[in-house]
Amino acid sequence: MVEHIDLSQVNWARAQFALTAMYHWVFVPLTLGLSFLVAFFESIYVRTANEEWKRITKFWMTLFGINFAIGVATGIIMEFEFGTNWSNYSWMVGDIFGAPLAVEGIFAFFLEATFFAVMFFGWNRVSKGFHLFSTWMVAIGSNLSALWILVANGWMQYPVGMRFNPDTARFEMQNFWEVLFSPVAISKFTHATSSGFLLASLFVLGISSWYLLQERHQVMARRSIIVASVFGLLSSAYVAFTGDEAAYSVAQRQPMKLAAMEGLYDGRTSAPLIAAGLINAAKEPGDKQAPFAVELKIPGLLSLLANREAGSFVPGVNDLVFGNKEHNIIGAEERIEKGKIAVELLRTYKEARKAGDKDIANAALKAFGDYQDNLGYGYLNKPAEAVPPVGITFYAFHIMVITGTIFPLVFLFFLYFQAKGTLSYQSWLLSLGILCIPLGYIGQQAGWVLAEVGRQPWAIQGLLPVTVANSNLTTGTVQTTFFIFLALFTLLMIAEISIMLKQIKIGPEEN
Amino acid sequence: MIGNLDYSTLQQIWWIIASLVGSLFLFLTFVQGGQTLLFTVPRDAEEKALIINSLGRKWELTFTTLVLFGGALFAAFPKFYATSFGGAYWVWMLILFTFIVQAVSYEYRKKPGNFLGATTYEAFLFINGSVGILLIGAAVGTFFTGSSFSLNDYNQVTWQTPYRGLEAARNFFNLSLGLFLVFNARVLGAMYLINNVEHAALADRCRKSAWKSFLWSLPFLLYVVANLLFMKGYALNPATGEIFLQNAKYLQNLLGNPVTLLLLLVGLILVIYGVALTCFKNKNNGIWFSGIGTVLVGLAVFFLAGFNDTAFYPSSFDPQSSLTIYNASSSHYTLTAMTYVALSVPFVLAYIAYVWKQMDSKKLSLAELSSEDAEEMY
C-alpha cells in the first residue's frame, strides 16, 4: 500500500499537527467554560435587574470575544489539515470520520456564529430575554462543537462501528450510533469540556484576584470569585470523576498507552501507581535497565484504578510488545508478522482483481479475512515501533494529574475566606489565584499531549499508523508550512495576550 | 423513506447539498467583497467603522459556511477531500491563511494593545477578500480544466507538479473565474452595505462602486461562460466507468439538463436585475436579487461539473484517476445516515434567517457606533 515512506516528512506533519492543535487548545477550553460563566452572570443580571451584574457580564464577555476570535482562527486549519497533511487518512476513514465533522458544522458552528453577533451587538436590538437566550446558545453551541470533534477523536482512539472494505481500500461505517456513543467518545467529551469549565473558572478567579490585590473593581471581583469558585469546584469534581472514567477506558482499550502513562514495562498483579518519578531515558523495551531513576510508588493502586479490582494484572510495555502467554496477550511482534501477511494478501487480491483472475482474488480475500485485524501492524517494521514515547506520555499524565489536584483546594480556600469576609487580606491566596492561570493552561496542554502522544504510532488505534495516514508531500513543503504556522500563530497569540492584558488593566466600565 | 433510497440517488442528493452550501458561501462572500472596499469607499474613520461593524456582524456566517462546505465534502466525498487537499496543498493552504488572518481582524483592529496596528488588520481583511476569493475561484475552475494528479490502486494521490495546485492560477479560465468571483463579491459587498448602513453619502459611493465592480466583472464572466459552452469536458462512460474527453461537454450538460440551464439564466438575470435596481433605481434591496442570483448561478456551475456523467474533479494527467460523484463518495450507509442529519438544515436556515431579521430590523448608524455600547463595537 505504501511504496515509500518519508519518515522526516511524516514527523514534520506530526509536528505541524501538534503545533496547530496545541495553539488551538490554548483558546478553546477558555471558550468552553467562559461562555457558560458569562451566561451565568447574565442570567443573574436578568433575574435581579441589577446593573452591576450587567457590567460584570459585559466585562467577561469582552475577554470572551478576544479569546473566541483567535480560537476560530486557529480552528479552521484543524479541519482542513486532515485533508492537506493526512490525505490517506482522510480517504481511509473519511467514511466514518467525516460525518461527525459535518454534523459539528451543521449543529454547533452555526449556533455559535449566528448568536455570537446577538450576544455582542444585540443589547439594544433584541429583548433582554432573547439576548440571554443568545448568550446561552453561544455557550451550548461552543460545547456542542467540542462534542462532535471529540466523538471523532474518541473513534480514533477506539475504532468501533465499521469494517474494512478491501475493494475501496478503506474503512466504512456500519453503525452510526456505535460511533457516537462509543464509551471513549463520551469520556473524552465529558473530561475535555469539564476541564474547560475548570480553566475558565481559574481564569476568572485569577483576574479577580489581581483586582483585589490592586484594590480595584472589588465588588465585581468578589462576585466573580463566588460564581467562579462554585463553578470551578463543581467542575473539578466532575473532571476527577470523568478523568477516572477516561483512565479506566484507556486501561481497557489502549493498554499500551496506560503502560506508557505509568512507565510500566513488566506487567504485574497488584501493580503500584507511580505518584511521581524520573524516567530513565535510556530504557528500551526488553532490556534489563530500571525504568526509573527515582520513583514514588503507591502499592497496588494502579491495579485498582485500571481494572477496578485490587490485585488484578496490568500489562506492561514488554508484555504488549513481546506477548504474554500466561495472560493471553498477543504481542506486537506476532501481530506484525500477521499484519505483513494481511498486507501481502490485500495486494494479491487487488492485483488479481485488476487482472480479472477471480480464483486468485477470491482465495486471497478469504485468507485476508483471517488476518485483517492485524492489517495496521503490517506497516510497522519492528515491535518497538508500537511503543509510544514513554517519557513524554508519563510526564504529561503526571503534570495533568498534579495540577488538577491543586485546583479544587484553591477554590475551597477562596470560598472559605470569602465566606469569612477576609478574602481581600489573604494576599498569599490571591497571588496563588493568579498563578493558577498558567498552571491551568499547563494542565490543559499536558492532557492533550497525553491523549495524542500516548496513542502513537497510531492515527487510528491498531488500524492505521501515522506513517500510512499522511499525504504524499515533500519534507520541504511541510517544513515551510510548519514555520509559517509557527510565525503566524505566535504573532497572533502575542497580539491576543497583549489585547487581553490591556483590557484587564482597563477593567470594566465604571458607572 | 430515506433508508430506501438507492446509492446513486444519495450520491446525487449529496452533490446537490454540497453545491447548495458552496453556492450559499458564494452569496455570503459579500463580506469578503465588502472588505476589499475598505481602502477606497470610506472617506473617514467613522465611515470605515460603519463598514467594519456592518460586515463584522456577518463574517462568521461566511466563515462557518466555508467550514461546513469542507465538512460536507469530507463526509460525502472523502476521496475529493483527500485528493484535492492533500494534492493541491499550496493553493488550499494559502486560502486558509487568508481566512485565519481574517478571523482575528474584526475583533482586534480597534482594540488597544493590538500589537500590529489597525492598518495591518485592515490589510488582512483586504487580502482575505481579494487573494482568498481569487484562489477559491481558481480552485473551482479546476473542476472544469482539470488538475495534474494520479491515484494508485489504494486511492492515494500523487501530484504531478511541484506547485501543488498553484499552477491552477496560471490557467486563464481558472484565473477569470477567480477574478469574476472577486468582482462579484465586491458588487455584493457594496449592495449589502447599502442595505445595512444608514449613511447617504456612503451609500452613494457604494452604488458607484457596485457599478464599477460589475463592469469589471463582465469580461471575466463572459470569458468563463463562453469557454464553458465550447470547451472539452471530462465525461464518464457509465457502463465501463471510463473517463474520456468529450467536445462541448458542458454545453451538452446544459442542454441535457433544463434545470441547470434555467438556474443559470434566472441566476444571471437576477444578478443583473439587482445591480440595475441598485445603480439606476437607487433601491436598497438589490443585494437580495443579486445574492439569490449568485446562489442560482453557483448551483448551475456545480451541477454542470458534477451531473450528466461528468468527472467533477478531473485529472488532466491521468483521466482515469478523475473523480466523479459516484467513485468519490462515502458508502451507502454513511450517505443515508448523513441524509437524516441533513433534514435539520432547513431548521438551521430558519433560525439564521430569524436572527438576521431581528438584528437587521434597524439599520446601523453612526449614532449607534457612539452609543453606550460603543465599547462592544469593532
Side-chain angles (χ1 to χ4, degrees):
Chain A
M1 186 181 277
V2 181
E3 289 119 27
H4 171 68
I5 296 171
D6 183 347
L7 256 185
S8 80
Q9 196 268 107
V10 174
N11 287 335
W12 277 104
R14 290 162 93 183
Q16 180 173 302
F17 204 89
L19 174 87
T20 48
M22 286 173 87
Y23 264 105
H24 188 46
W25 196 253
V26 170
F27 311 107
V28 172
L30 185 61
T31 296
L32 296 179
L34 199 52
S35 60
F36 274 120
L37 279 162
V38 170
F40 295 155
F41 293 134
E42 192 177 338
S43 300
I44 301 174
Y45 160 62
V46 171
R47 271 187 78 91
T48 60
N50 179 337
E51 286 297 313
E52 177 65 20
W53 281 107
K54 185 178 182 185
R55 217 162 62 89
I56 295 174
T57 307
K58 281 187 147 186
F59 172 67
W60 294 113
M61 215 177 78
T62 303
L63 301 191
F64 171 81
I66 296 162
N67 180 71
F68 186 85
I70 191 164
V72 173
T74 51
I76 189 170
I77 188 62
M78 300 304 304
E79 178 194 14
F80 289 97
E81 227 172 346
F82 288 113
T84 52
N85 291 81
W86 304 97
S87 62
N88 293 346
Y89 167 94
S90 294
W91 166 246
M92 287 188 74
V93 300
D95 194 59
I96 307 137
F97 190 83
L101 238 59
V103 179
E104 182 182 26
I106 295 173
F107 284 125
F109 288 159
F110 277 109
L111 267 186
E112 286 179 271
T114 308
F115 289 101
F116 185 86
V118 185
M119 187 176 168
F120 279 81
F121 310 111
W123 289 104
N124 293 320
R125 286 181 173 259
V126 299
S127 69
K128 238 184 192 180
F130 190 74
H131 191 276
L132 178 62
F133 174 77
S134 303
T135 306
W136 276 99
M137 283 302 111
V138 170
I140 292 168
S142 307
N143 283 270
L144 273 182
S145 310
L147 170 68
W148 292 101
I149 191 63
L150 291 170
V151 162
N153 183 274
W155 183 83
M156 292 165 77
Q157 311 268 351
Y158 180 54
V160 287
M162 48 84 213
R163 72 177 185 96
F164 183 74
N165 181 343
D167 292 322
T168 51
R170 68 174 176 184
F171 296 93
E172 294 181 354
M173 185 147 57
Q174 297 286 293
N175 190 330
F176 180 72
W177 302 111
E178 240 183 278
V179 174
L180 176 55
F181 293 115
S182 136
V184 175
I186 301 296
S187 69
K188 275 239 160 285
F189 171 64
T190 49
H191 192 54
T193 48
S194 54
S195 77
F197 303 160
L198 172 60
L199 179 83
S201 303
L202 292 171
F203 181 81
V204 171
L205 194 80
I207 292 168
S208 303
S209 296
W210 184 74
Y211 283 135
L212 288 185
L213 282 171
Q214 296 277 313
E215 298 178 7
R216 293 172 60 200
H217 313 300
Q218 301 198 42
V219 177
M220 184 204 80
R222 273 201 209 91
R223 287 185 180 184
S224 300
I225 283 174
I226 295 171
V227 176
S229 296
V230 172
F231 190 48
L233 198 58
L234 293 172
S235 304
S236 300
Y238 200 54
V239 166
F241 172 70
T242 54
D244 175 59
E245 272 298 310
Y248 175 71
S249 172
V250 166
Q252 302 306 309
R253 298 177 181 96
Q254 295 173 288
M256 183 66 93
K257 188 195 256 185
L258 183 83
M261 279 159 69
E262 278 295 295
L264 180 69
Y265 277 82
D266 294 313
R268 52 176 289 190
T269 51
S270 296
L273 186 86
I274 308 294
L278 270 181
I279 287 271
N280 172 5
K283 171 81 181 157
E284 295 284 339
D287 71 14
K288 299 283 179 210
Q289 295 190 66
F292 290 97
V294 189
E295 74 214 274
L296 179 64
K297 291 179 184 173
I298 305 174
L301 190 59
L302 183 60
S303 285
L304 184 67
L305 291 176
N307 299 320
R308 308 223 160 125
E309 192 188 328
S312 60
F313 179 79
V314 181
V317 170
N318 289 334
D319 306 285
L320 297 160
V321 168
F322 304 109
N324 182 328
K325 283 200 176 129
E326 190 191 335
H327 291 280
N328 285 328
I329 296 168
I330 301 171
E333 205 168 25
E334 191 181 332
R335 298 197 70 177
I336 289 173
E337 279 171 32
K338 288 182 175 168
K340 299 258 179 237
I341 298 173
V343 171
E344 195 51 33
L345 285 168
L346 182 63
R347 197 179 59 77
T348 310
Y349 170 71
K350 298 289 270 186
E351 282 175 3
R353 255 185 64 106
K354 212 172 175 183
D357 195 333
K358 277 187 182 165
D359 290 342
I360 293 180
N362 287 340
L365 187 61
K366 193 165 176 293
F368 176 74
D370 297 332
Y371 290 93
Q372 66 169 334
D373 287 349
N374 299 296
L375 182 67
Y377 281 87
Y379 301 112
L380 302 183
N381 294 316
K382 52 181 197 278
E385 285 179 14
V387 184
V390 176
I392 298 175
T393 312
F394 174 85
Y395 290 123
F397 174 54
H398 285 77
I399 289 170
M400 179 188 77
V401 173
I402 290 166
T403 51
T405 313
I406 298 169
F407 303 138
L409 301 173
V410 175
F411 291 125
L412 274 175
F413 275 122
F414 267 89
L415 283 173
Y416 172 73
F417 286 111
Q418 172 64 30
K420 263 184 81 176
T422 58
L423 184 61
S424 301
Y425 308 114
Q426 315 300 324
S427 52
W428 66 274
L429 183 60
L430 298 174
S431 305
L432 181 63
I434 298 171
L435 181 68
C436 278
I437 299 179
L439 284 182
Y441 279 103
I442 290 170
Q444 287 287 339
Q445 292 290 325
W448 272 108
V449 169
L450 160 66
E452 299 304 292
V453 174
R455 72 175 156 96
Q456 298 301 315
W458 303 107
I460 309 288
Q461 181 72 37
L463 300 178
L464 186 68
V466 286
T467 46
V468 182
N470 81 325
S471 302
N472 185 2
L473 295 162
T474 63
T475 306
T477 304
V478 187
Q479 270 174 332
T480 310
T481 49
F482 173 88
F483 286 110
I484 294 175
F485 278 119
L486 181 65
L488 186 61
F489 283 0
T490 305
L491 201 67
L492 296 183
M493 190 162 82
I494 292 171
E496 194 254 7
I497 293 173
S498 161
I499 293 170
M500 195 72 104
L501 292 177
K502 193 86 189 169
Q503 287 295 325
I504 293 167
K505 212 169 164 190
I506 295 168
E509 53 182 276
E510 293 289 357
N511 286 331
Chain B
M1 187 192 114
I2 289 171
N4 297 328
L5 292 175
D6 67 46
Y7 196 17
S8 66
T9 307
L10 284 167
Q11 287 161 326
Q12 291 172 25
I13 287 175
W14 271 93
W15 185 251
I16 293 172
I17 293 174
S19 301
L20 182 63
V21 178
S23 303
L24 284 171
F25 169 75
L26 294 181
F27 167 31
L28 293 169
T29 58
F30 68 75
V31 169
Q32 275 66 24
Q35 288 168 188
T36 63
L37 304 177
L38 271 180
F39 291 105
T40 46
V41 170
R43 287 283 145 83
D44 54 35
E46 277 188 331
E47 290 185 14
K48 194 181 268 183
L50 268 179
I51 294 179
I52 296 255
N53 276 283
S54 172
L55 297 172
R57 292 167 192 204
K58 298 292 184 304
W59 77 266
E60 276 192 79
L61 279 181
T62 314
F63 194 92
T64 306
T65 308
L66 177 66
V67 171
L68 180 63
F69 188 47
L73 287 170
F74 195 1
F77 301 100
K79 201 196 277 187
F80 167 74
Y81 201 79
T83 305
S84 182
F85 286 86
Y89 188 79
W90 274 116
V91 78
W92 291 115
M93 277 293 177
L94 286 184
I95 290 169
L96 289 172
F97 286 134
T98 73
F99 278 86
I100 288 169
V101 294
Q102 182 213 21
V104 292
S105 294
Y106 284 100
E107 184 69 35
Y108 292 0
R109 186 185 75 100
K110 285 300 270 186
K111 288 269 188 302
N114 69 9
F115 186 59
L116 299 172
T119 316
T120 308
Y121 293 104
E122 287 162 16
F124 283 166
L125 293 176
F126 184 84
I127 290 168
N128 172 246
S130 51
V131 179
I133 300 301
L134 174 73
L135 290 177
I136 286 177
V140 173
T142 62
F143 283 26
F144 300 95
T145 53
S147 303
S148 204
F149 67 88
S150 63
L151 297 177
N152 67 11
D153 286 349
Y154 300 92
N155 293 308
Q156 293 164 329
V157 59
T158 302
W159 208 258
Q160 302 296 331
T161 79
Y163 309 110
R164 287 275 170 184
L166 286 180
E167 69 276 3
R170 290 194 314 205
N171 176 305
F172 197 68
F173 175 86
N174 299 338
L175 203 58
S176 299
L177 186 54
L179 285 168
F180 167 68
L181 288 187
V182 171
F183 286 113
N184 191 55
R186 279 169 68 91
V187 173
L188 294 173
M191 287 184 182
Y192 165 77
L193 291 169
I194 292 165
N195 187 261
N196 195 252
V197 169
E198 184 78 68
H199 192 296
L202 186 62
D204 273 351
R205 264 174 271 131
C206 282
R207 281 182 217 286
K208 283 182 192 133
S209 166
W211 178 241
K212 227 159 110 180
S213 297
F214 177 71
L215 290 180
W216 271 103
S217 76
L218 277 180
F220 300 112
L221 174 69
L222 291 175
Y223 183 82
V224 168
V225 172
N227 261 276
L228 267 182
L229 293 179
F230 300 111
M231 74 198 288
K232 286 183 176 179
Y234 293 83
L236 164 74
N237 180 339
T240 61
E242 190 201 350
I243 305 289
F244 61 98
L245 266 175
Q246 192 175 356
N247 285 327
K249 169 67 180 156
Y250 301 107
L251 179 61
Q252 291 186 40
N253 285 2
L254 209 52
L255 299 175
N257 189 346
V259 175
T260 309
L261 182 62
L262 200 67
L263 285 171
L264 184 66
L265 292 177
V266 175
L268 286 173
I269 289 168
L270 281 176
V271 170
I272 295 166
Y273 182 61
V275 173
L277 278 182
T278 305
C279 302
F280 300 111
K281 297 274 180 192
N282 275 1
K283 298 274 188 196
N284 296 340
N285 58 352
I287 176 69
W288 298 112
F289 294 98
S290 295
I292 293 168
T294 301
V295 175
L296 300 185
V297 173
L299 281 173
V301 168
F302 286 116
F303 288 179
L304 273 182
F307 286 140
N308 291 63
D309 296 323
T310 313
F312 75 87
Y313 199 65
S315 168
S316 49
F317 174 78
D318 170 27
Q320 299 320 313
S321 291
S322 301
L323 309 186
T324 68
I325 62 173
Y326 305 109
N327 71 12
S329 83
S330 281
S331 65
H332 194 171
Y333 179 89
T334 296
L335 290 183
T336 307
M338 289 295 304
T339 308
Y340 281 111
V341 172
L343 290 177
S344 63
V345 170
F347 169 73
V348 174
L349 287 175
Y351 78 68
I352 292 172
Y354 176 74
V355 170
W356 188 317
K357 201 162 171 276
Q358 289 276 314
M359 289 294 289
D360 287 6
S361 57
K362 202 167 63 184
K363 282 188 166 196
L364 184 68
S365 64
L366 284 175
E368 191 173 340
L369 290 190
S370 53
S371 70
E372 55 166 318
D373 291 321
E375 272 197 19
E376 311 292 337
M377 303 296 166
Y378 290 135

